[in-house]
Amino acid sequence: FRQGVRDFTECRTPRIWMNRLLISSELLPQPKANEPLLNADTSSSKSSRLWTVTYVCVVTLQCFFILGFAVGFTSPVINELADRKEGYESLRKISYQDAFSITLVVGATVVVPFGGYLVDYLGRKLSIILCSVPYAAGWLLIILTLATDGPAFRPLLFTGRFVLGLGVGWTTVSVGLYPAEMTTRNVRGGFVVLNQLAFTAGVFLGEIIGVYIPYYWLAVIPLAFTLVFTLLATTIKETPRWLMTQGRNYEARNVLRWLRGPDYDVDQELQDIENVLLQNKLTFFEALREFKSKSVYIPVILICTVFFFRQFSGISAVLFYNEEIFKQANIKSAGLISSFATGGVQVVSSVIGVFMPDLVGRRKLLIISCAVMCLSLGAMGTYEFLNNKPYCHPHNDPRCKDHLYPLAITSIACFVASYSAGISAVSWVLLPELVPLRVRGIGAGIALFVNWGSTVIVAGLFDTYEGVVRPWGAFWTFSLICFCGVLFAVVFIPETRGKSLEEVEHYFEKR
């Protein structure tokens, strides 16, 4: 015990002290950085237990649930504020609707370029706990708009959205890497995709509850989840890979034994990590110079391109403007139907998507997903084209629109299902698998910057672009982009199913 106290008092910087306080479950003497990792005794290799991994991953899932709620919060709030008459008439203008939609995404885009480096510096656990700060502040600012009227209303509302965006970006950088570094190769894909399931559950609840209650009461729900998450996040463990990058091999071994179970042989897994780290101990500027290497810039370009196709498929436009899209299509009960056609379908398909990357394979699932999205968006564009033809006006044939609207609902539902179970799930799995460990923080930051930057463009310019090329032209454009995504996946994406993170890294080194 006295030795443990001395270890804590030797922590000279706040960062080291905080990590020791949060990560160490018991006061144990810490070995030196160059102390041998492996002991002479090794236990027989048995399958690892799942409840420990499930627990830490379920705790972190709440971050993605709150993220999804922030996205699902958009569509019902835009329509509620646009219909109010107490000084909010300006929100009827397209420019303000666009601004409300993209403010969240702009906040996320601001964080991700340097977020990867901060996650590597602070550690995975402390970074995850810090997600609660912008979430709590953002939802509180939105709730406070209830007591605000006049000129101060919009600045307060938009500031709350921007602060929420900071939490959204920080979540994708910090939480996205955590499941991949805590799980074994045979279950990694499913646990990583659980983030997508939590996200879609948040989107669905935000949209469906937003139909019935005011936006300020709607914001109370994710605020409560944020407080619960903050308490639970202090109980999770730091990842063994990050601990070993800090020379804390003894703690890494204890965490891995807790994760895998006392009967699991952790020595080989630790040795694989150590072998990679011996070659990859780099400073920030040394990591930047690594991007000259073919084994680094090729996988980073590949994952950035996957995120580009993910967002330019038009998913942000569909999620942010789904109620408006169904209203333009003259569908009755547009708010309720859009909630089930997007949020409800997302939840179901995300449940399926938990198993698909490991069952089907990353590459094949990506190809199928982009192909189905291409066909669905093409069908939606065809619906919009026929729906606006002169012969489909009510004075010619009142039943014409009634015959066509099932095509719109089916097209959007198929698009959202293929997106959630396919490219969305695969992108989160491929992010930690493709990017090498030595530049994983910076590489993830670059990829997520592409993701959120693309979201800003799509969500911010959708209404404007739709007005230029008409609704059918916008959907046909997205369909063409998805077709290009199919070709890209066929030609460039390798299969990573069944391979460890270290094996994937060696694959690119040999190319």
Side-chain angles (χ1 to χ4, degrees):
F1 178 82
R2 287 194 296 270
Q3 179 63 44
V5 172
R6 282 196 294 271
D7 287 338
F8 274 94
T9 58
E10 288 172 1
C11 297
R12 298 281 189 253
T13 66
R15 177 176 68 89
I16 297 176
W17 186 87
M18 282 296 295
N19 280 317
R20 289 284 181 86
L21 177 64
L22 292 170
I23 296 169
S24 300
S25 57
E26 51 185 341
L27 296 175
L28 292 170
Q30 303 298 318
K32 298 178 181 179
N34 57 358
E35 181 177 329
L37 175 67
L38 302 180
N39 298 334
D41 62 312
T42 58
S43 56
S44 58
S45 178
K46 296 183 180 180
S47 60
S48 62
R49 62 187 180 191
L50 287 178
W51 74 264
T52 49
V53 175
T54 302
Y55 171 75
V56 295
C57 289
V58 167
V59 171
T60 58
L61 288 180
Q62 295 177 72
C63 268
F64 271 89
F65 174 82
I66 301 169
L67 189 161
F69 210 101
V71 174
F73 183 82
T74 307
S75 182
V77 172
I78 284 179
N79 287 278
E80 177 187 347
L81 295 179
D83 290 339
R84 296 178 67 167
K85 301 185 182 302
E86 299 90 350
Y88 309 135
E89 286 83 357
S90 58
L91 280 172
R92 294 178 179 274
K93 298 179 181 179
I94 295 297
S95 59
Y96 282 102
Q97 293 188 16
D98 287 345
F100 184 80
S101 299
I102 68 172
T103 303
L104 180 81
V105 186
V106 170
T109 308
V110 169
V111 171
V112 293
F114 55 87
Y117 173 71
L118 288 177
V119 170
D120 283 344
Y121 180 78
L122 297 172
R124 313 299 192 234
K125 178 178 178 178
L126 181 57
S127 299
I128 290 172
I129 294 175
L130 291 178
C131 289
S132 60
V133 176
Y135 279 143
W139 291 118
L140 280 174
L141 287 173
I142 291 175
I143 294 172
L144 288 176
T145 60
L146 174 63
T148 307
D149 203 354
F153 172 79
R154 283 201 303 275
L156 190 61
L157 179 67
F158 280 53
T159 302
R161 286 283 288 179
F162 178 80
V163 174
L164 278 179
L166 299 178
V168 167
W170 190 251
T171 295
T172 54
V173 173
S174 59
V175 183
L177 297 175
Y178 189 81
E181 294 190 359
M182 297 293 274
T183 55
T184 56
R185 71 183 74 178
N186 58 320
V187 296
R188 185 175 62 239
F191 275 100
V192 172
V193 176
L194 282 175
N195 289 335
Q196 173 66 17
L197 176 60
F199 168 78
T200 56
V203 172
F204 177 63
L205 286 180
E207 290 181 347
I208 199 70
I209 299 176
V211 175
Y212 300 103
I213 66 175
Y215 75 92
Y216 40 84
W217 287 116
L218 187 63
V220 173
I221 298 173
L223 179 61
F225 272 97
T226 301
L227 299 177
V228 173
F229 161 75
T230 305
L231 296 175
L232 292 178
T234 60
T235 66
I236 64 175
K237 303 289 184 180
E238 183 56 85
T239 67
R241 283 178 175 82
W242 186 84
L243 288 172
M244 293 181 68
T245 62
Q246 307 302 304
R248 295 157 64 179
N249 297 342
Y250 193 76
E251 288 183 66
R253 199 174 201 279
N254 286 340
V255 171
L256 204 55
R257 280 207 173 277
W258 180 81
L259 284 171
R260 307 290 186 253
D263 297 328
Y264 183 83
D265 183 8
V266 301
D267 292 334
Q268 185 58 52
E269 186 171 349
L270 289 168
Q271 186 66 66
D272 291 340
I273 299 172
E274 188 176 40
N275 290 338
V276 173
L277 291 178
L278 288 175
Q279 307 170 9
N280 300 327
K281 284 193 173 182
L282 304 174
T283 65
F284 176 75
F285 294 103
E286 288 173 341
L288 288 179
R289 285 194 291 269
E290 282 294 308
F291 279 84
K292 297 178 181 178
S293 172
K294 188 177 179 181
S295 63
V296 174
Y297 71 76
I298 287 181
V300 171
I301 290 174
L302 290 180
I303 192 61
C304 286
T305 309
V306 170
F307 275 106
F308 170 84
F309 283 117
R310 166 191 164 121
Q311 294 303 329
F312 271 87
S313 67
I315 187 64
S316 300
V318 172
L319 291 180
F320 288 164
Y321 298 100
N322 56 54
E323 188 170 345
E324 189 69 21
I325 290 172
F326 280 101
K327 281 183 177 180
Q328 290 178 358
N330 299 313
I331 295 176
K332 298 178 181 179
S333 303
L336 192 60
I337 292 177
S338 65
S339 298
F340 280 98
T342 55
V345 172
Q346 267 196 310
V347 172
V348 175
S349 56
S350 293
V351 172
I352 299 173
V354 170
F355 309 99
M356 296 301 286
D358 288 327
L359 291 177
V360 178
R362 283 65 156 154
R363 180 175 178 271
K364 186 181 296 184
L365 183 59
L366 184 60
I367 294 171
I368 295 172
S369 172
C370 289
V372 176
M373 288 194 299
C374 174
L375 297 175
S376 302
L377 291 167
M380 184 63 190
T382 302
Y383 166 80
E384 291 284 2
F385 179 76
L386 296 176
N387 192 49
N388 286 275
K389 296 298 285 185
Y391 56 75
C392 205
H393 284 174
H395 66 268
N396 290 332
D397 186 358
R399 298 172 299 175
C400 181
K401 293 182 184 291
D402 294 335
H403 293 328
L404 287 177
Y405 83 83
L407 176 62
I409 298 175
T410 304
S411 299
I412 293 295
C414 289
F415 167 71
V416 171
S418 57
Y419 168 85
S420 299
I423 189 171
S424 181
V426 171
S427 60
W428 290 118
V429 176
L430 288 178
L431 176 60
E433 288 185 339
L434 293 183
V435 182
L437 179 61
R438 60 186 182 275
V439 295
R440 187 161 294 157
I442 299 175
I446 295 172
L448 293 172
F449 179 77
V450 172
N451 176 74
W452 291 112
S454 301
T455 306
V456 169
I457 296 172
V458 174
L461 299 180
F462 175 71
D463 268 333
T464 304
Y465 184 71
E466 186 184 40
V468 174
V469 300
R470 309 300 294 274
W472 55 87
F475 284 109
W476 284 342
T477 301
F478 292 141
S479 178
L480 178 61
I481 292 174
C482 290
F483 177 74
C484 295
V486 174
L487 299 180
F488 169 79
V490 170
V491 176
F492 296 107
I493 295 297
E495 182 55 69
T496 59
R497 179 178 58 166
K499 295 181 175 64
S500 68
L501 300 181
E502 291 71 31
E503 288 172 344
V504 175
E505 185 171 341
H506 291 322
Y507 167 81
F508 285 106
E509 289 175 352
K510 295 175 181 179
R511 291 192 65 179

